[in-house]
Amino acid sequence: MSALEILLWVVVPYVSLAIFVVGHYWRYKYDKFGWTTRSSQLYESRLLRWGSPLFHFGILFVLIGHVMGLGIPKSWTDAAGLSEDAYHALAIGVGAIAGFGTLVGLAILIYRRRTVGPVFSATTRNDKFMYLVLTVTILFGLSNTVLGAVGHEGVDYRDTVSPWFRSIFYFDPQPELMTEAGLGFQLHALSALVLFAIWPFTRLVHVFSAPLGYFTRPYIVYRSRDEQLGNRATPRGWDRVGGGRR
Ligand code: HEM
C-alpha cells in the first residue's frame, strides 16, 4: 500500500467527512440566520421554473442510485435473484436519464445565475466555487456511466468503488480497491470528496432544512391583543405565540 494511496483514499475521505460534519455544526451554531437556499425566485422565475425541478428531481434519482449502488453489496442483489446484466441495465438506464436531467437542469441554473444581473450579484464566492465542483463531479459521474454503457473495458465499480466506500464507514478502510477502480472513478470520487468538504460553507446546507413544520402548522398566524380569540376555545395548533403585551 503506497503513501499516495493512503493519502487519497483514507486521509482525504476522513478529513472531508469530518469537515462535513463539524462544518455543519459550526455553521448552524454561528450562522443560523444565514442557513438558507439564498432563494432568488423574486428576481427571475421563467428559467428557474425549468432548471430547478430538472436539477432537483434528477439529483434525487442520482442519490437513490448511489444509495443502492454504493450501499447494497453485490452479494445481496445476487441473492435476491437480480442478475448482473439486469442490475447494470437498470442502473445505466435510470442513472443516465437522471444524470442528464441533473446536468441539463444545472446548466440552465448556472446560465440563469450568470446572465440575470441581480441573481449573479446575490451569488457568494463560496457558491461560485461550489457550482464548479458540483458540475465537475456530475460530469465525471456521468462519463463513468456512459463509458460503462458503451461497454468500455472497465472494472465493475461494485467490486471496487462500492466496497471501498463502505469500508470508510466501517472504519476498516481498503484504499487498494480504489487503485483498481481506474482514473474515471477516482476523479469522480475525489471531486465528490472536495464537494463534501465545502458543502457546509455554501447554500447546499439547505438540503438539511426540510420544512417539516409546514405539514402541521396553521396556514396563517393571527395575533390578537385579547386573551380570548372570539368566543370559542382555541383550536389545536392555534395557541398564542410567546407571552406579554403584543
Ligand atoms: C464519494 C462519493 C461518491 C462515489 C463513490 C460515487 C460513485 C459513483 C459511481 C460508481 C458511479 C457510476 C454509476 C454507474 O456507472 O451506473 C457514479 C455516477 C454518478 N455520480 Fe457519483 N459518486 C459519489 C458522489 C457523487 C456526488 C456527490 C454527485 C453529485 C453531486 C454524484 C453524481 C453522479 C452522477 C450524476 C453520476 C452519473 C449517473 C447517475 O448515477 O445517475 N456522485 N457515481
Side-chain angles (χ1 to χ4, degrees):
M1 210 184 295
S2 74
L4 185 67
E5 254 177 355
I6 296 178
L7 175 70
L8 291 181
W9 310 119
V10 182
V11 177
V12 172
Y14 282 120
V15 170
S16 159
L17 292 179
I19 298 177
F20 185 86
V21 174
V22 178
H24 276 94
Y25 174 77
W26 172 85
R27 176 90 187 262
Y28 189 75
K29 203 160 161 51
Y30 294 105
D31 184 28
K32 205 179 279 180
F33 294 110
W35 187 287
T36 161
T37 60
R38 302 181 66 86
S39 171
S40 56
Q41 191 181 8
L42 276 176
Y43 304 134
E44 198 280 344
S45 61
R46 196 176 50 89
L47 287 167
L48 190 67
R49 209 165 23 230
W50 285 99
S52 182
L54 255 175
F55 173 77
H56 284 98
F57 279 111
I59 202 88
L60 186 66
F61 281 95
V62 169
L63 175 72
I64 294 171
H66 280 68
V67 170
M68 287 174 61
L70 299 177
I72 301 179
K74 202 172 175 179
S75 55
W76 294 16
T77 47
D78 286 349
L82 189 64
S83 76
E84 193 54 24
D85 288 347
Y87 176 88
H88 277 287
L90 188 76
I92 287 169
V94 178
I97 295 171
F100 273 113
T102 310
L103 188 64
V104 172
L106 186 63
I108 296 175
L109 292 177
I110 292 177
Y111 169 79
R112 166 183 180 272
R113 198 152 277 280
R114 189 62 197 90
T115 54
V116 179
V119 179
F120 187 59
S121 311
T123 309
T124 65
R125 221 171 26 179
N126 285 6
D127 282 345
K128 284 178 196 158
F129 183 58
M130 177 276 289
Y131 281 114
L132 180 73
V133 181
L134 182 61
T135 309
V136 167
T137 307
I138 291 172
L139 282 176
F140 279 136
L142 202 51
S143 61
N144 285 330
T145 301
V146 172
L147 286 177
V150 295
H152 96 122
E153 286 296 299
V155 276
D156 184 348
Y157 64 85
R158 291 208 298 160
D159 292 328
T160 53
V161 185
S162 307
W164 162 77
F165 185 77
R166 292 194 297 270
S167 77
I168 295 291
F169 294 93
Y170 296 149
F171 295 106
D172 178 20
Q174 292 171 22
E176 64 283 355
L177 289 172
M178 275 312 277
T179 310
E180 289 168 33
L183 192 62
F185 288 122
Q186 293 173 350
L187 292 174
H188 178 57
L190 274 181
S191 60
L193 291 171
V194 174
L195 185 68
F196 295 147
I198 60 172
W199 192 297
F201 316 104
T202 68
R203 63 209 298 257
L204 290 185
V205 293
H206 79 268
V207 170
F208 301 106
S209 42
L212 297 179
Y214 280 22
F215 291 118
T216 53
R217 66 153 206 192
Y219 48 88
I220 192 165
V221 178
Y222 285 104
R223 289 166 195 269
S224 160
R225 285 172 188 279
D226 303 327
E227 280 308 316
Q228 171 85 37
L229 303 174
N231 51 13
R232 277 193 252 150
T234 311
R236 193 162 59 86
W238 291 80
D239 310 309
R240 297 177 69 94
V241 180
R245 251 178 82 85
R246 266 161 285 228

